[in-house]
Amino acid sequence: MKRSEMLKSVADTPEWDLIIIGGGATGLWCALDGASRGYKTLLLEKGDFVEGTSSRSTKLFHGGLRYLKQGRLGLIHEGLIERGYLAKNAPHLFTSRPFFLPFYSALDKPYYKLGMLLYDFLAGKLVLQKHRLLNRADSIAECPTLRSEGLKGGAVYYDGQFDDARFAIELAKTAANYGATLLNYCKVEELVKTSGKVSGVIATELDTNTPFNIRGKVIINATGIFSDELRKLDDRATPPIMVLSRGSHIIVDKKFLSSQTALIVPKTGDKRVIFVIPWQEKVLIGTTEAVVCEPSNNPKPSEEEISFLLEHAKLILTPYPKKEDILSSFAGIRPLVKSSHNKSSSKLSRNHEILISESGLVTIVGGKWTTGRKMAEDTLNRAFKKLLPCKTLPCKTKSLPLHKSPSFFSLPEIVHLAVEEEMALTAADILARRTRTLFLDIKQALALAPEVIRLMAPLLKKNSLWEAEELDKFNEYAKSYCV
Ligand SMILES: Cc1cc2nc3c(=O)[nH]c(=O)nc-3n(C[C@H](O)[C@H](O)[C@H](O)COP(=O)(O)OP(=O)(O)OC[C@H]3O[C@@H](n4cnc5c(N)ncnc54)[C@H](O)[C@@H]3O)c2cc1C
């Protein structure tokens, strides 16, 4: 995936079948879907691939156990089926992770048993491993750092875990192998219309400030939390449909969760679910729900969210982490779709919605990482059926294996791969997304940044002035990961 070749392809292609705006989970799945069907496909991302929400998830491929209580069996079933396809098509990127749900009253046992049976049943043949019920002693053996006062037992069930940013790069590489052109740091500024119908975009490549006037037959707005901004470019009078909800996570040392089994904090007062999950030799704790007004690709967790996560971790962990134990923290903003019923954001639908405007702009919003493949399939089916019925082609992604990149361990090799094959342009691209160092340990990321930048400079043909500026930029960017 070479950036120079992508730029040449954008400049040389007179018209695309499909232009996708946004390089998050949704846009990347649309790019793979489009290219593998045989459409001439272009994806444009204004920052780095998955720079925003899609690199800040809890990193679970799941049906969502918590939706059982809300009776949303269809939503869970869809997630579990998609989880099964992901396990088959990307086994190298998928970990089957046990989750332990403790109970403190004997009355909880039949209730949890029923829930687990249903969760396994809804996965059908694609179940990862069947759930297990544990007595008190076995529960403590399963999770040695679990607080045991009042513990009666627990249930273990299985869900998928992944590294969202790595998964995204492998999706992009697979799409590129099928002929898609994908360009990061290229912002769509305007939509072009011909006889009232969208027929292209005006975009700026931000590294060299090069403008592009690009023509396309079907244009998809996959900009997540920025969807309303793009919809306004299409029709200034269109009412907003997005509700933005920030979710935060903290990362602590693995001594706080000595098992490979993740924990669920069972009752959080306001009915949120908080997970304590082993991730990349550390422990990830999250998440929260805080409604925000403005979209941002690099939001910062608030003091209240950090305290909330620490308080709830203290309820079930011993030893429990304190503020000074936090190695890094990160937040992302959920792209939820407005409800007419005044629901709180934790109750808003995680379903996706597809809207096609009068001018033909296709907007795909909502959903989650787990259902990205299905979202893309539905979007392209609807879009081509309505806008280009003479060119409908079948979806191929249900059984399409994803690319596997080589694993490197030395810094020069990692930087080389990231710049030459994965289109990294900044230190944050490498330290936050091609590797996850900034997410896992901010001190380590700050210490590595000068060397990473020194290695990047000759590959990108940059001088020492760029190196100094890039280090300042990275130090500023990293501030939102500090507690
Ligand atoms: C805290 C949190 C935890 C979550 N945990 C999970 C989980 O465990 N499992 C799960 O399945 N889902 C999870 N989700 C949901 C999932 O992360 C999101 O649904 C998904 O990442 C949204 O992807 P997206 O591509 O729609 O949006 P985004 O990732 O926001 O991508 C949109 C992209 O569009 C780009 N863009 C915007 N404007 C322009 C423009 N003018 N030109 C070009 N590009 C533009 C943006 O820069 C951005 O990169 C979680 C979400 C949050 C916030």
Side-chain angles (χ1 to χ4, degrees):
M1 216 169 54
K2 296 205 183 306
R3 205 160 183 282
S4 53
E5 288 173 12
M6 298 293 179
L7 275 166
K8 186 169 180 322
S9 165
V10 175
D12 291 352
T13 306
E15 189 179 35
W16 301 87
D17 293 325
L18 182 59
I19 300 177
I20 299 148
I21 311 167
T26 311
L28 289 167
W29 269 115
C30 287
L32 176 56
D33 187 317
S36 58
R37 287 186 201 218
Y39 295 126
K40 197 183 271 286
T41 300
L42 171 68
L43 178 144
L44 302 171
E45 161 56 52
K46 73 172 175 178
D48 186 24
F49 301 118
V50 294
E51 174 174 324
T53 303
S54 296
S55 60
R56 293 139 186 278
S57 76
T58 311
K59 295 146 212 342
L60 301 178
F61 285 138
H62 60 164
L65 193 69
R66 77 183 177 97
Y67 301 127
L68 278 178
K69 242 185 188 165
Q70 299 169 15
R72 292 165 60 191
L73 304 187
L75 182 70
I76 300 172
H77 178 63
E78 182 178 70
L80 293 176
I81 297 302
E82 289 304 316
R83 183 189 74 177
Y85 294 144
L86 290 158
K88 280 194 176 163
N89 294 333
H92 53 296
L93 302 168
F94 187 105
T95 303
S96 179
R97 173 71 61 198
F99 285 79
F100 178 81
L101 185 60
F103 45 76
Y104 296 91
S105 148
L107 294 176
D108 282 342
K109 195 174 168 182
Y111 180 69
Y112 284 20
K113 167 93 189 154
L114 189 66
M116 299 287 159
L117 275 172
L118 198 53
Y119 199 65
D120 286 349
F121 173 76
L122 288 169
K125 282 191 189 137
L126 294 174
V127 68
L128 298 176
Q129 280 183 60
K130 293 239 164 91
H131 75 275
R132 296 178 272 136
L133 287 181
L134 304 185
N135 61 24
R136 180 183 152 83
D138 289 344
S139 298
I140 294 167
E142 180 91 19
C143 309
T145 48
L146 171 72
R147 254 181 200 281
S148 56
E149 297 97 318
L151 182 76
K152 295 280 186 279
V156 174
Y157 72 98
Y158 291 80
D159 254 329
Q161 187 184 26
F162 70 122
D163 172 351
D164 45 19
R166 176 44 50 190
F167 194 94
I169 293 299
E170 302 303 331
L171 262 181
K173 286 183 174 178
T174 317
N177 285 345
Y178 276 92
T181 295
L182 306 103
L183 193 57
N184 57 356
Y185 294 101
C186 187
K187 181 175 183 189
V188 171
E189 318 263 9
E190 278 178 55
L191 299 174
V192 178
K193 292 189 180 167
T194 309
S195 313
K197 298 287 171 197
V198 274
S199 57
V201 302
I202 293 181
T204 308
E205 196 278 320
L206 299 169
D207 189 40
T208 53
N209 218 12
T210 309
F212 285 108
N213 191 334
I214 306 168
R215 291 180 53 201
K217 294 179 182 134
V218 171
I219 319 278
I220 295 185
N221 169 15
T223 56
I225 54 175
F226 301 91
S227 295
D228 283 335
E229 287 181 10
L230 268 288
R231 292 175 62 249
K232 286 238 180 290
L233 290 182
D234 177 35
D235 173 5
R236 267 199 286 162
T238 195
I241 52 163
M242 302 306 298
V243 175
L244 310 181
S245 161
R246 188 179 57 230
S248 296
H249 302 84
I250 54 175
I251 300 286
V252 296
D253 190 85
K254 69 175 176 191
K255 73 176 178 209
F256 295 106
L257 183 71
S258 54
S259 58
Q260 282 306 304
T261 301
L263 288 178
I264 297 185
V265 184
K267 284 170 187 158
T268 59
D270 57 357
K271 306 214 168 53
R272 296 175 205 178
V273 174
I274 296 182
F275 296 103
V276 180
I277 316 175
W279 186 56
Q280 303 223 352
E281 297 299 306
K282 301 272 192 292
V283 175
L284 177 154
I285 304 175
T287 180
T288 57
E289 295 253 356
V291 171
V292 293
C293 300
E294 292 296 321
S296 162
N297 272 344
N298 192 20
K300 186 173 165 53
S302 69
E303 289 272 335
E304 295 78 45
E305 287 171 286
I306 301 285
S307 306
F308 177 85
L309 292 174
L310 288 173
E311 277 162 28
H312 284 83
K314 187 176 173 183
L315 291 178
I316 59 160
L317 295 178
T318 177
Y320 59 86
K322 304 186 190 69
K323 196 169 176 189
E324 55 272 24
D325 295 311
I326 297 176
L327 299 171
S328 183
S329 69
F330 61 92
I333 302 180
R334 298 178 186 85
L336 305 178
V337 188
K338 240 181 202 158
S339 134
S340 47
H341 306 295
N342 243 345
K343 289 183 184 167
S344 73
S345 68
S346 61
K347 290 203 186 111
L348 275 185
S349 172
R350 264 55 172 175
N351 284 332
H352 58 274
E353 283 193 26
I354 300 161
L355 302 116
I356 304 186
S357 74
E358 261 180 44
S359 71
L361 177 70
V362 182
T363 296
I364 164 74
V365 276
K368 49 185 191 167
W369 247 115
T370 312
T371 52
R373 191 211 64 80
K374 178 75 165 58
M375 290 164 71
E377 177 179 358
D378 292 350
T379 307
L380 267 69
N381 284 348
R382 282 265 310 269
F384 279 88
K385 192 170 168 204
K386 171 136 193 199
L387 303 170
L388 210 59
C390 59
K391 207 167 177 182
T392 55
L393 296 167
C395 175
K396 305 257 175 72
T397 51
K398 266 187 195 163
S399 55
L400 190 151
L402 292 196
H403 183 271
K404 183 176 182 184
S405 292
S407 302
F408 291 121
F409 299 100
S410 83
L411 198 55
E413 282 175 320
I414 291 169
V415 172
H416 191 273
L417 178 80
V419 172
E420 298 294 346
E421 298 293 336
E422 299 181 346
M423 298 168 70
L425 282 189
T426 72
D429 296 349
I430 295 183
L431 285 164
R433 291 172 291 276
R434 304 306 179 276
T435 72
R436 305 316 301 269
T437 318
L438 185 57
F439 282 72
L440 293 164
D441 187 339
I442 182 158
K443 277 194 194 140
Q444 199 192 353
L446 291 172
L448 283 173
E451 178 64 359
V452 166
I453 292 167
R454 196 188 59 77
L455 291 165
M456 292 177 82
L459 300 172
L460 292 168
K461 301 190 178 52
K462 302 286 187 187
N463 58 21
S464 54
L465 178 64
W466 176 85
E467 286 188 40
E469 284 174 0
E470 186 55 27
L471 188 57
D472 286 347
K473 261 173 50 192
F474 180 73
N475 289 338
E476 188 59 35
Y477 183 81
K479 281 184 184 161
S480 58
Y481 295 75
C482 295
V483 179

